[in-house]
């Protein structure tokens, strides 16, 4: 249903929320973005670009 570009946008949005909002931003990302992101069969796009600090 969603592709790599959608995964990249979701990953970047989640990272931005975490950076700006800290724990509150991460809670929002987990509640709103994570369910959609789980439907995409693609690994973390930020890891592939060397930008991920979580994995």
């Amino acid at each position: 249903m969603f592709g790599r570009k959608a995964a990249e946008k979701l990953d970047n949005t989640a990272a931005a929320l975490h950076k700006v909002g800290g724990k509150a931003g991460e809670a929002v990302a987990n509640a709103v973005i994570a369910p959609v992101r789980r439907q995409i069969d693609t690994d973390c796009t930020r890891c592939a670009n060397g930008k991920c600090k979580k994995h």
Side-chain angles (χ1 to χ4, degrees):
M1 182 161 106
F2 298 104
R4 184 190 55 78
K5 287 185 179 186
E8 186 173 357
K9 289 180 185 196
L10 288 171
D11 292 342
N12 290 336
T13 302
L17 280 171
H18 177 70
K19 184 177 179 180
V20 173
K23 289 185 179 190
E26 184 155 345
V28 170
N30 287 335
V32 178
I33 296 173
V36 176
R37 182 61 176 94
R38 285 188 203 109
Q39 295 177 10
I40 302 172
D41 189 27
T42 303
D43 292 334
C44 179
T45 57
R46 293 185 60 81
C47 285
N49 294 334
K51 296 179 183 177
C52 187
K53 294 187 178 8
K54 285 189 147 190
H55 303 116

